[in-house]
Amino acid sequence: MRLWLLALLGLGVLTGMCRPQRKKVRPALPTITNKTFIEACVREHNKYRSAVQPTATNMRYMTWDAALARTARAWAKKCLFKHSPYLTEKFMSHPHYVHVGENIWTGSRSMFTVVTAIKLWKDEVQHYTLETRKCTKTCGHYTQIVWDTSHKVGCAVVFCRMAAGIENAAHFICNYVPSGNYPRKPYKAGASCSECSKEDTCVDNLCRNPERDKIIRYTRWYPPWENRIVCDESCIAVVVLRPLLMLLAFITVFLMQKHYSSMSISK
């Protein structure tokens, strides 16, 4: 009896050892419609814009832009660590703006958060002097974040098996309009909001305007160079209803044929 018990116990141990281990499923990266992701992107940009030193006279508040987010996603999916060639082509990156600004962050997927990526861009401030516009290293990401007239932002993060020499990477891109980094200072130093327009209100050192800050969905616009089949609500309705209507017509004809074939005519 003991031998049987030992054998069964041994078999149980071996079965447990041979049982395939479940792979840890990593959480999916957020989509461009994820509310938490959108709020984080907007919040982190405005946090650094409102805290610039020296303070800015005309720093605008940033709000989300769906068209920019789609452009960021389309370019990020290519997993290339370089700027999009479409940023300065007319209406190729936004339906209303010719030029679009862009920041790129690439790192290990496990390291990615919106907060850490945007902070890395902001930290370039240590290499930049506003008064002289002198940059001792890389500064373009920071100056785009604090570009005074840029008031729309759209971001996307995608998984890349390889990007910038990093395996299993998170590839994070933010696009901006109006674009920044022209040959001038990113903003004018002075008392906060002192040069906001008459229609603006000052909130957290930023110029806010209901009309400018309005959220536009751009439901029918996608980057013209993106290889994708676009199907909006009306398109989906047609795709779904057409086969259903055909099936209903077939059933109707079948039932009518069956009904009339069973009828007899007498004289």
Side-chain angles (χ1 to χ4, degrees), residues 233-249:
E233 290 83 353
S234 58
C235 166
I236 293 171
V238 171
V239 170
V240 173
L241 288 176
R242 181 175 290 175
L244 287 176
L245 290 172
M246 290 180 66
L247 178 62
L248 182 61

Side-chain angles (χ1 to χ4, degrees), residues 12 14-15 50 122 125 131-132 150 164 174 185 193 225 262 267:
L14 286 172
T15 303
S50 66
K122 186 276 302 181
V125 65
E131 292 78 8
T132 61
S150 296
C174 287
K185 295 178 181 179
C193 298
W225 44 270
S262 63
K267 187 176 180 180

Side-chain angles (χ1 to χ4, degrees), residues 192-209:
S192 297
C193 298
S194 58
E195 295 188 14
C196 294
S197 67
K198 293 180 180 179
E199 296 78 17
D200 292 355
T201 57
C202 185
V203 180
D204 295 330
N205 302 327
L206 300 174
C207 306
R208 299 199 62 169
N209 182 294

Side-chain angles (χ1 to χ4, degrees), residues 38-209:
I38 292 172
E39 289 175 349
C41 291
V42 172
R43 181 188 65 244
E44 294 304 303
H45 278 88
N46 284 321
K47 178 173 74 175
Y48 295 127
R49 290 169 71 81
S50 66
V52 290
Q53 290 296 328
T55 55
T57 64
N58 59 338
M59 186 73 72
R60 292 179 176 178
Y61 178 79
M62 272 191 176
T63 52
W64 186 255
D65 188 281
L68 291 176
R70 289 180 199 141
T71 294
R73 179 182 62 186
W75 185 245
K77 282 183 175 180
K78 296 184 181 296
C79 296
L80 299 172
F81 193 68
K82 63 179 182 179
H83 288 297
S84 166
Y86 306 105
L87 297 175
T88 57
E89 292 190 24
K90 191 174 182 179
F91 307 133
M92 293 294 280
S93 295
H94 196 279
H96 294 162
Y97 290 87
V98 176
H99 294 168
V100 172
E102 185 177 75
N103 279 349
I104 301 175
W105 178 97
T106 307
S108 170
R109 175 177 175 169
S110 60
M111 291 173 55
F112 171 75
T113 67
V114 171
V115 173
T116 55
I118 296 178
K119 183 179 183 300
L120 189 70
W121 295 336
K122 186 276 302 181
D123 286 346
E124 292 176 3
V125 65
Q126 62 189 305
H127 308 300
Y128 185 75
T129 304
L130 182 69
E131 292 78 8
T132 61
R133 288 181 51 218
K134 184 179 180 181
C135 178
T136 58
K137 202 173 181 182
T138 301
C139 307
H141 303 95
Y142 165 72
T143 52
Q144 175 60 84
I145 286 178
V146 299
W147 199 262
D148 52 8
T149 57
S150 296
H151 61 270
K152 291 292 182 182
V153 61
C155 306
V157 58
V158 303
F159 171 77
C160 295
R161 294 195 178 279
M162 178 67 72
I166 300 171
E167 293 184 358
N168 300 322
H171 199 42
F172 178 61
I173 294 179
C174 287
N175 287 138
Y176 310 84
V177 291
S179 62
N181 290 343
Y182 291 100
R184 68 166 175 87
K185 295 178 181 179
Y187 66 88
K188 184 178 178 181
S192 297
C193 298
S194 58
E195 295 188 14
C196 294
S197 67
K198 293 180 180 179
E199 296 78 17
D200 292 355
T201 57
C202 185
V203 180
D204 295 330
N205 302 327
L206 300 174
C207 306
R208 299 199 62 169
N209 182 294

